[in-house]
Amino acid sequence: MLRASRVSMGYFKRPGRKSLDEICKLSLFEVSTPQQVATTWNNHHMQFLQYWGRTISSEAYYALEPRLKVSPYFVVPVFRDKGLFNVVTNFKDDLVGVAPLGEWQKKQDNAQIHMTIQFFTELARSKRLVLVRCEIKDEVFKRLDCIFITQMLLKYYTFPRLYETWVETFNKRPGQFDYHAFLRAMKDEAGKDEIKIEDKKSEMRHDAFGPVIDTPPDAVARQIMNTLDIGAPKA
């Protein structure tokens, strides 16, 4: 039912927009029950380090899609044993591109995408399901990062309080975005009680992924918003 993935980059294939028929035999999904589709899709993605898959209802997706369109950017911290680094997410046409904040700060929308999250809507009408697939390009991200980022995006774009407090503020009122309060909330989401979050950084520590705690993205949020209309930061 699901097609084998041909490896073209060592362990990893190049992520990017795909049709559902490139991944599975859509005709077989069409004659399956929604439960069979969900079970097959989720179980298939458990086999791979590069992918993670889940299903959501079409109603859930079409409720959060307008929010993804009007608030396309967000920042999610990725936790490591000794700290964290931030990533920027950008939604466009059913696809979320993910890049480390440090790379985005240098190249903005030309930054290299290291992970994608795609929403497949081909079965939304017939099965009332939207299939979600997270795909990792290289070793910048781990599979657990993929799961955490996808789950946090779904959660923070779905629940009104979380969306209005964090996502909408980040996109529309970046000067009011309280990065440190957000980071504490995300630390609790990840169960990282051992990581201490301070309002002022006394030193800049680095690991293999760059600064352990990146520049607080209140200024980055303004920079993101300045690129939306003209494609480059304003002076």
Side-chain angles (χ1 to χ4, degrees):
M1 185 177 291
L2 286 146
R3 304 187 189 281
S5 297
R6 185 178 64 187
V7 177
S8 60
M9 299 173 61
Y11 287 116
F12 301 103
K13 291 181 64 180
R14 187 176 302 279
R17 190 178 311 284
K18 295 176 173 64
S19 68
L20 186 55
D21 202 46
E22 290 181 69
I23 301 168
C24 67
K25 295 180 180 179
L26 187 55
S27 60
L28 294 181
F29 270 0
E30 289 285 7
V31 297
S32 301
T33 67
Q35 183 60 50
Q36 288 171 332
V37 171
T39 300
T40 301
W41 181 261
N42 295 342
N43 289 345
H44 171 74
H45 287 89
M46 292 180 182
Q47 306 174 57
F48 303 101
L49 293 175
Q50 184 185 1
Y51 308 115
W52 183 69
R54 64 162 295 168
T55 55
I56 60 176
S57 70
S58 56
E59 290 86 353
Y61 175 68
Y62 288 120
L64 67 87
E65 183 190 30
R67 294 176 173 179
L68 287 163
K69 288 181 177 179
V70 300
S71 299
Y73 291 95
F74 200 41
V75 168
V76 179
V78 172
F79 293 90
R80 294 286 187 245
D81 291 339
K82 297 181 180 179
L84 61 91
F85 67 100
N86 291 309
V87 302
V88 174
T89 64
N90 178 20
F91 173 82
K92 185 177 181 181
D93 299 331
D94 298 327
L95 186 75
V96 177
V98 184
L101 175 61
E103 293 187 19
W104 193 93
Q105 287 175 308
K106 295 177 182 178
K107 299 181 180 180
Q108 283 80 50
D109 286 343
N110 293 320
Q112 186 175 3
I113 297 300
H114 293 273
M115 188 175 84
T116 57
I117 303 166
Q118 187 168 354
F119 299 92
F120 296 92
T121 59
E122 288 91 332
L123 299 172
R125 178 172 296 181
S126 61
K127 306 299 176 185
R128 304 184 72 83
L129 291 176
V130 170
L131 308 183
V132 184
R133 176 182 169 99
C134 179
E135 187 170 341
I136 304 168
K137 175 184 177 181
D138 49 36
E139 294 182 351
V140 169
F141 294 110
K142 302 176 182 178
R143 192 168 186 270
L144 287 177
D145 304 332
C146 180
I147 296 171
F148 182 73
I149 293 169
T150 305
Q151 294 282 47
M152 290 303 100
L153 281 182
L154 292 174
K155 182 174 182 177
Y156 276 67
Y157 275 87
T158 298
F159 290 96
R161 181 181 60 82
L162 294 176
Y163 174 76
E164 293 166 6
T165 301
W166 302 116
V167 181
E168 191 173 51
T169 299
F170 182 78
N171 282 268
K172 297 183 178 181
R173 300 178 300 279
Q176 300 175 24
F177 186 82
D178 187 337
Y179 170 71
H180 296 288
F182 171 69
L183 194 56
R184 291 188 185 96
M186 278 289 184
K187 183 193 73 170
D188 292 340
E189 297 275 13
K192 294 291 184 178
D193 294 334
E194 71 277 10
I195 296 177
K196 184 178 181 181
I197 306 300
E198 298 179 348
D199 288 338
K200 299 294 183 181
K201 291 178 290 182
S202 57
E203 60 179 340
M204 181 65 74
R205 295 177 293 117
H206 290 73
D207 62 13
F209 299 92
V212 172
I213 297 180
D214 275 315
T215 304
D218 50 353
V220 176
R222 296 190 193 96
Q223 189 179 35
I224 288 173
M225 297 310 298
N226 286 340
T227 69
L228 293 183
D229 295 328
I230 63 174
K234 296 177 181 177

